[in-house]
Amino acid sequence: MAPALNHPTGVTFVEERATNADAATYYGGGDSYTRSRTYSTSLIHGYKPKKTPAFEEDWHLRPRRLSHDEKSVTGPRRFLIDVEETIRVVLEQEDTDGDFQISVTDAGPKMMALGTATSNGFKTFDIRGTYMLSNLLQELALARDHNRKRIVLDEARLTENPVDRLSRMIKNSFWHSLTRRIDGDGLEIITADPKNRTGRVNPRIYVPYGEPAMAEYYRKVAREKPHMNLDVQVLPEKPDDPVFVKSLNNKPGILALAMNEVDDGKGGKTLKGIPFIVPGARFNELYNWDSYFIALGLLVDGQVTMAKGMVDHFIFEIKHYGKILNGSRSYYLCRTQPPFLTDMALQIYNQLDRSDMEANRQWLKRAIQAAIKEYHTVWVAEPRMDPKTGLSRYRPDGLGIPPETEATHFTQILEPFARKHGISVLEFSEKYNNGTIKEPELDEYFLHDRAVRESGHDTTYRFEKRCANLGTIDLQSLLYKYEVDIGTAIREVFDDELELDEEFDLAPFPPSVESYANPHRESSKSRLQSSDEWFDRADFRKEMIDKYLWNEQKNLFFDYDTVQEKQILYESVTSFWPLWAGCASEEQCWKLVTQSLRKFEVLGGVVSGTEESRGQISLERPNRQWDYPYAWPPHQIMLWVGLERYGYLDDAQRLAYRFLYMMTTAFVDFNGVVPEKFDAVKLSHLVDAEYGNQGIDFKMVPREGFGWMNSAYQVGLSFMTSHMRRAVAACTSPEVFFGSAAHLQPPMLNANVSAIDPLGLAMENLSVSG
């Protein structure tokens, strides 16, 4: 009979488990050990990882691989690890630049011996390379999060297919970390604002007019949580008056969003915030067009309820703030962003639970009603509408200097005016903002600057000092999609009749200078909405797009300057947005794809605009983040979907492969990074642009990624074949995978071939930024 085994108190033994489980499941238990014939009492007091010899000069001291390397024939390899000690050794040995990340730019030996679990740590196996070591650091950080002192770690978590690992982290971890709620439980997180430069850190919330129950709820929260010093303010009935909004510059706050009434557990009712996803990093609030692309990723990951809640917030914002806001902070009250509500609502509607179709129908009705109100009161109302051309523009109201920018962002613009008045830039800014100093030229500059921010493309030389005058191809495409979506919903879901609940003015149609000059407006309550009028609006807009924005000689759509009455010949990748919206003809699409796509396609996807259009860069004319050579998730996703819509699936797949290859190599080489944007020519997230990059500042393990970049990965994978997915996981360059560089501009070929070396690129960027 075998003798009884005595183990230390509290010891549990690890059983078989899914190696790709989320961190809470994988590390959720107590400290674990493995079963073996003997139990080393030395391990009770902590396993000490084997440290490798010094790099390079002592390489000969490294023992050859012999019997100490366990040969697993009975099961997968596992390691017995002391969490804190191994974190210390990994960082000391491998993190040579001290940023708490293991990347290709670190000069450590990229090798570490870990004790195997089946030998109770006495036999070791080498962990080698940036990817395995950075994954080890990430797993140790996650174990520490769950208060684990010692873990049994599956080797499979260190060698996990990078595509599977990143997609899993986005689905199971990143979305959760980016989730916010505005209520008593979530206020302390959401009120933190990295853009607040006033020096006041106590939280403030603005509640809209007409929501007394909500205002009382937050006052109650303030009383019950006095440590927060929460300041609750109620906005006036017209909260987007420019003078009023400017008066809030020195007292910024979060804006209240939609809430549900729920049981309070005591027999009564209370309010609870509807959760939503923020972009991440310094953007800790609900954003407009970010949310659309985030919702696409949420739908891929099955989080329909979360996406639906974000539409509920947009409906709330249109009702109470007059528009879907740029972001849910007080300084954004005058501004919106590119409109995507109708497509967002329809995509979610198509994925709602079919068990209660009437409830789904009522929800879609509220979304379409809100979109119609936004369309008439924002996008085809003056000053955004240009009645002469019938084109809509990004042209928000506002006064003074945008307060959410970094302190020195406008210094170069303001310095000449400060010198003119013989005062400092700071003093000039204060006097200009409060109206003591009048500068019409500066007023014009900030009119266009606010328009650039409303466009979502802040900033780009495409819009420099003219954005508010432009009928852009992106906005016309989005509004065409609004018109078609609204007409389709009315016809297919609402039996070709839709009553509007709120009263507001309907914009004249067809637009003309005379009709807009007439003060009389038809009321939204005067008649039912039918599909025909919306399809007529779409047809009219398509005619105006073809008349003013299409350039037959250049095979591209261009923005139209409504003041100078001419096209602006800046080549922007948004010229392909009509494919997404469906307003390009088959011939226009063919010309765009066969003649113009190559101008934007580079190794890592498509860039925002062409290098020629951007112009020369210098110290006096620095790079702008929405220009060449930068690539952004919205541009990629819109182009993939548009190409697929018109039957160019091979092109969509090729472009998706390029972008996901760039994302995956950064993830593998730089400790799991998922940034806001990329330099798609150099395949680098280490960008040299005005705002730097977001989503790259983390310690040991990425927690959030970045909202729309997370979505781009999940959506992009849906375009991939299994063969493409395996090739991306192996970090196979697009030029190797596709066999040639035929789709790239000839000047780009040499640059792209050299761009394949990630270490060389990283070091080049580091030296540039240094």
Side-chain angles (χ1 to χ4, degrees):
M1 182 177 178
L5 297 177
N6 295 314
H7 305 292
T9 305
V11 165
T12 58
F13 293 97
V14 65
E15 304 297 339
E16 292 298 324
R17 58 194 168 174
T19 58
N20 61 351
D22 63 275
T25 302
Y26 193 82
Y27 297 114
D31 290 339
S32 300
Y33 301 81
T34 57
R35 299 186 186 277
S36 61
R37 298 185 70 82
T38 61
Y39 189 88
S40 171
T41 55
S42 67
L43 295 181
I44 298 174
H45 305 290
Y47 161 66
K48 305 299 182 187
K50 309 294 190 295
K51 185 175 179 182
T52 58
F55 188 44
E56 290 183 343
E57 61 267 21
D58 292 333
W59 64 269
H60 59 282
L61 298 179
R62 186 72 181 154
R64 292 178 62 195
R65 282 187 169 178
L66 294 171
S67 59
H68 77 293
D69 286 331
E70 177 192 19
K71 296 178 178 60
S72 175
V73 294
T74 59
R77 185 179 290 111
R78 291 171 171 172
F79 303 109
L80 185 60
I81 298 176
D82 180 294
V83 174
E84 294 300 329
E85 179 63 12
T86 310
I87 288 176
R88 184 190 68 77
V89 174
V90 170
L91 291 175
E92 179 184 293
Q93 173 182 298
E94 301 291 346
D95 180 27
T96 58
D97 59 9
D99 65 352
F100 291 89
Q101 298 177 20
I102 309 300
S103 67
V104 290
T105 56
D106 285 307
K110 300 292 170 69
M111 181 170 65
M112 180 175 228
L114 295 180
T116 60
T118 53
S119 71
N120 278 340
F122 284 104
K123 293 183 179 180
T124 63
F125 186 83
D126 290 342
I127 301 301
R128 297 169 181 263
T130 299
Y131 182 60
M132 287 187 74
L133 283 163
S134 67
N135 284 351
L136 173 61
L137 183 62
Q138 293 171 48
E139 295 299 325
L140 294 171
L142 294 170
R144 175 194 273 176
D145 290 347
H146 291 84
N147 299 313
R148 296 293 298 277
K149 303 299 181 186
R150 177 177 296 133
I151 59 172
V152 173
L153 178 63
D154 288 271
E155 183 187 30
R157 283 181 85 86
L158 305 183
T159 60
E160 186 177 3
N161 177 310
V163 171
D164 295 343
R165 182 177 178 87
L166 177 50
S167 184
R168 171 177 63 80
M169 292 173 72
I170 291 169
K171 181 177 181 178
N172 296 336
S173 175
F174 291 176
W175 292 137
H176 176 75
S177 297
L178 290 170
T179 299
R180 302 287 186 272
R181 268 200 353 247
I182 303 183
D183 58 20
D185 295 327
L187 268 173
E188 292 185 65
I189 297 175
I190 193 66
T191 51
D193 183 8
K195 301 182 294 304
N196 180 2
R197 294 193 277 112
T198 65
R200 184 189 188 279
V201 294
N202 291 339
R204 180 184 289 111
I205 186 166
Y206 288 99
V207 181
Y209 176 87
E211 289 286 347
M214 191 177 287
E216 182 51 40
Y217 168 83
Y218 287 114
R219 293 189 187 105
K220 182 181 178 183
V221 170
R223 292 192 298 269
E224 293 176 349
K225 296 186 175 184
H227 67 279
M228 285 184 62
N229 294 313
L230 178 65
D231 180 15
V232 181
Q233 298 285 334
V234 176
L235 291 168
E237 189 171 1
K238 182 174 169 47
D240 57 352
D241 175 76
V243 175
F244 171 73
V245 175
K246 190 182 76 169
S247 74
L248 303 181
N249 283 358
N250 292 322
K251 40 187 178 180
I254 194 76
L255 299 173
L257 293 175
M259 306 182 82
N260 287 327
E261 189 176 64
V262 298
D263 294 331
D264 63 3
K266 305 172 185 176
K269 297 288 185 180
T270 188
L271 296 176
K272 184 175 183 178
I274 298 173
F276 58 92
I277 305 291
V278 300
R282 70 192 294 262
F283 304 109
N284 188 38
E285 50 271 323
L286 179 74
Y287 277 80
N288 184 339
W289 78 317
D290 291 71
S291 294
Y292 169 73
F293 294 101
I294 287 169
L296 297 182
L298 290 172
L299 293 178
V300 171
D301 286 335
Q303 296 198 36
V304 181
T305 302
M306 180 71 76
K308 178 173 176 282
M310 294 166 81
V311 169
D312 291 334
H313 289 311
F314 287 167
I315 296 170
F316 181 92
E317 286 189 338
I318 291 170
K319 177 180 178 180
H320 291 291
Y321 304 127
K323 61 185 73 68
I324 301 176
L325 298 172
N326 182 158
S328 57
R329 300 275 177 189
S330 55
Y331 41 74
Y332 290 136
L333 278 164
C334 286
R335 275 202 322 260
T336 180
Q337 268 189 331
F340 284 92
L341 176 57
T342 57
D343 190 74
M344 186 175 177
L346 287 170
Q347 292 215 38
I348 293 166
Y349 174 76
N350 288 330
Q351 294 197 31
L352 291 176
D353 185 345
R354 301 288 175 173
S355 61
D356 192 346
M357 288 302 295
E358 182 55 30
N360 297 350
R361 187 173 174 274
Q362 290 302 316
W363 177 82
L364 182 64
K365 180 181 177 180
R366 291 194 298 275
I368 296 298
Q369 286 175 330
I372 291 173
K373 178 185 177 184
E374 180 202 27
Y375 176 90
H376 279 286
T377 62
V378 177
W379 294 116
V380 294
E382 293 180 298
R384 289 179 177 86
M385 166 59 85
D386 176 51
K388 185 174 182 180
T389 61
L391 300 176
S392 297
R393 305 168 294 187
Y394 297 112
R395 200 177 176 94
D397 290 326
L399 295 171
I401 303 169
E404 77 278 8
T405 56
E406 285 136 335
T408 59
H409 184 76
F410 294 111
T411 299
Q412 191 174 7
I413 301 298
L414 298 174
E415 274 178 343
F417 294 95
R419 283 196 301 270
K420 170 184 169 182
H421 291 274
I423 54 180
S424 69
V425 170
L426 180 62
E427 187 179 356
F428 174 81
S429 299
E430 292 175 353
K431 291 188 175 183
Y432 174 72
N433 272 338
N434 64 30
T436 305
I437 292 177
K438 305 290 186 183
E439 285 289 352
E441 183 182 346
L442 208 52
D443 294 343
E444 178 80 3
Y445 174 85
F446 283 116
L447 166 68
H448 294 302
D449 180 83
R450 283 188 294 271
V452 172
R453 298 177 191 284
E454 183 166 87
S455 78
H457 292 75
D458 45 328
T459 62
T460 165
Y461 288 114
R462 170 190 174 199
F463 290 155
E464 185 88 346
K465 298 181 180 179
R466 61 190 179 198
C467 186
N469 297 337
L470 300 183
T472 68
I473 182 56
D474 13 323
L475 183 55
Q476 312 318 310
S477 301
L478 297 178
L479 292 177
Y480 174 87
K481 186 70 160 59
Y482 254 47
E483 291 153 352
V484 171
D485 286 347
I486 291 170
T488 303
I490 292 173
R491 184 184 64 194
E492 303 296 332
V493 183
F494 305 116
D495 300 323
D496 218 12
E497 288 186 348
L498 180 65
E499 184 179 2
L500 300 178
D501 295 338
E502 283 193 65
E503 187 162 6
F504 52 87
D505 289 342
L506 299 179
F509 181 77
S512 66
V513 174
E514 294 73 25
S515 63
Y516 271 77
N518 186 343
H520 174 72
R521 291 289 185 273
E522 188 179 10
S523 169
S524 60
K525 303 277 285 184
S526 63
R527 58 179 172 82
L528 298 175
Q529 297 285 301
S530 69
S531 61
D532 285 347
E533 63 182 282
W534 287 97
F535 293 136
D536 289 344
R537 284 181 175 273
D539 290 342
F540 175 82
R541 189 173 299 275
K542 185 179 185 308
E543 289 176 18
M544 296 305 103
I545 290 173
D546 289 341
K547 178 180 179 180
Y548 292 109
L549 278 64
W550 175 248
N551 189 308
E552 186 67 29
Q553 287 71 42
K554 295 184 178 293
N555 300 310
L556 275 173
F557 291 99
F558 290 99
D559 303 329
Y560 184 81
D561 191 318
T562 59
V563 173
Q564 296 188 14
E565 298 187 341
K566 68 176 184 178
Q567 284 185 351
I568 301 299
L569 299 181
Y570 183 106
E571 296 172 326
S572 168
V573 76
T574 58
S575 183
F576 291 85
W577 285 24
L579 306 188
W580 175 88
C583 58
S585 68
E586 293 290 340
E587 183 183 2
Q588 287 171 334
C589 178
W590 181 80
K591 290 181 177 180
L592 285 167
V593 174
T594 60
Q595 304 299 316
S596 299
L597 182 57
R598 64 172 68 100
K599 294 182 178 183
F600 304 94
E601 184 173 353
V602 297
L603 188 61
V606 290
V607 289
S608 303
T610 62
E611 185 174 18
E612 181 183 3
S613 289
R614 180 203 64 184
Q616 290 296 313
I617 297 303
S618 64
L619 287 175
E620 291 72 33
R621 194 176 185 272
N623 223 336
R624 300 291 172 82
Q625 64 176 1
W626 285 92
D627 287 324
Y628 176 93
Y630 302 118
W632 292 77
H635 292 164
Q636 317 303 315
I637 295 173
M638 296 287 278
L639 187 48
W640 302 340
V641 174
L643 288 169
E644 183 185 37
R645 176 174 190 157
Y646 279 77
Y648 293 88
L649 180 59
D650 288 348
D651 295 280
Q653 289 179 320
R654 185 183 70 253
L655 295 176
Y657 185 99
R658 291 186 181 283
F659 197 70
L660 267 63
Y661 164 75
M662 180 168 61
M663 286 189 68
T664 304
T665 53
F667 178 79
V668 168
D669 291 335
F670 290 91
N671 209 108
V673 71
V674 180
E676 176 192 33
K677 59 182 173 287
F678 279 99
D679 178 333
V681 174
K682 293 183 176 179
L683 297 187
S684 177
H685 65 286
L686 302 170
V687 302
D688 182 24
E690 58 210 314
Y691 294 109
N693 215 340
Q694 303 296 318
I696 65 175
D697 186 18
F698 58 88
K699 292 186 176 181
M700 297 197 286
V701 61
R703 305 284 181 179
E704 302 176 340
F706 194 84
W708 57 20
M709 192 68 79
N710 298 340
S711 285
Y713 205 75
Q714 304 300 67
V715 173
L717 287 177
S718 71
F719 281 85
M720 296 283 200
T721 64
S722 58
H723 176 45
M724 297 173 79
R725 183 172 176 136
R726 287 194 300 271
V728 167
C731 295
T732 304
S733 166
E735 300 323 312
V736 174
F737 184 79
F738 294 108
S740 73
H743 302 283
L744 303 180
Q745 287 267 63
M748 294 303 305
L749 299 186
N750 292 336
N752 284 323
V753 171
S754 65
I756 295 174
D757 173 23
L759 178 57
L761 285 166
M763 298 308 293
E764 178 188 334
N765 278 279
L766 286 175
S767 63
V768 169
S769 61

